[in-house]
Amino acid sequence: VCVCMCMFRYFYDNLLDNMIGSEGAKYITDAIHSGNCVLTKLNFGLNQISDQGARHIANAIRSRNCLLTSLSLRRNFIGDLGVRHISKAIQRRPCSLKELWLNENLIDDRGVRHIATAIESGKCFLTRLWLSSNWIGDDGARDMATAIQSEKCSLNVLALNHNRIGAEGAFHIATAVQSGKCSLNTLHLFGNPMPACVSDVIHKAVDSNQSIQIVVSEQVRAHPETLR
């Protein structure tokens, strides 16, 4: 990947499915550092980016010259180490990211712990976060449940669908929603191995906080009027 830094302000923001890799990501993030880049949205999806590439991207995010508000890193090879780099970056000013896609990567409970810490730090301004189709289990769900109850959490949309969240993790999340401290208005949980009995917990969570929409299946949305 070769990017002319002086012309990067005209570079199309959709780099989806180009096999850029971590080394290519470095060239692009160097351009973001340059001060000539005015991109606010960047799609890095399906590009074989690993933890090393995530580190380059994290360095760009924390740059004073970075204007990105929306970043997609979906369907890459980013694991817990890469997420740690990104989580640190989104807590550093002047990071302006509002939307972050990390779905379809290699993130497990350890990686989610880093993200949860960033969310409740008061220094992260994400409003929409996608973590679907990773390896997140009950421990990760518990950490996210704690984070979304923080008064410093700015998230409105959280996608945890198609992970490995079971009854215990769903209970933690439902409890967070019921607490009245959760800022979310949309939560995706479908595609997790949650037993049928969890639906009662979800019902109670929705009944106590009707400002939130909990999507528990591809077709069914957990509103009181549709899940009773």
Side-chain angles (χ1 to χ4, degrees), residues 109 112-113 116 120 136-149 160 165 168-173 176:
D109 292 342
V112 169
R113 189 173 300 117
E120 56 187 329
I136 301 167
D138 291 338
D139 288 345
R142 181 193 61 214
D143 290 334
M144 286 303 300
T146 300
I148 61 177
Q149 291 181 80
L160 291 171
I165 300 171
E168 181 184 348
F171 175 79
H172 287 301
I173 292 172

Side-chain angles (χ1 to χ4, degrees), residues 16-142:
L16 178 70
D17 197 10
N18 277 289
M19 299 178 66
I20 289 172
S22 294
E23 186 63 25
K26 182 179 184 303
Y27 288 110
I28 294 170
T29 53
D30 284 347
I32 292 174
H33 274 296
S34 71
N36 292 311
C37 175
V38 294
L39 286 181
T40 59
K41 297 182 179 181
L42 183 59
N43 188 345
F44 258 135
L46 286 88
N47 272 297
Q48 300 183 4
I49 295 171
S50 65
D51 289 342
Q52 180 66 21
R55 184 172 70 84
H56 296 313
I57 293 167
N59 288 337
I61 290 172
R62 71 181 77 188
S63 166
R64 69 181 62 184
N65 292 323
C66 179
L67 303 177
L68 290 178
T69 60
S70 180
L71 174 64
S72 175
L73 294 169
R74 74 177 185 89
R75 209 168 179 181
N76 280 292
F77 301 117
I78 298 171
D80 300 328
L81 179 59
V83 169
R84 185 178 70 180
H85 291 309
I86 292 171
S87 297
K88 288 182 177 180
I90 60 178
Q91 295 178 71
R92 295 279 293 274
R93 293 181 182 275
C95 177
S96 56
L97 270 188
K98 301 289 187 182
E99 301 179 334
L100 179 60
W101 282 261
L102 287 169
N103 42 316
E104 298 180 87
N105 276 283
L106 306 174
I107 302 166
D108 63 19
D109 292 342
R110 292 169 297 179
V112 169
R113 189 173 300 117
H114 296 305
I115 298 174
T117 299
I119 289 171
E120 56 187 329
S121 69
K123 302 174 183 177
C124 169
F125 302 104
L126 289 181
T127 59
R128 300 162 69 89
L129 175 62
W130 283 264
L131 291 169
S132 47
S133 300
N134 279 289
W135 297 349
I136 301 167
D138 291 338
D139 288 345
R142 181 193 61 214

Side-chain angles (χ1 to χ4, degrees), residues 3-22:
V3 178
C4 177
M5 293 183 184
C6 66
M7 295 297 290
F8 196 69
R9 67 177 64 206
Y10 305 112
F11 200 81
Y12 186 49
D13 67 352
N14 191 349
L15 299 173
L16 178 70
D17 197 10
N18 277 289
M19 299 178 66
I20 289 172
S22 294

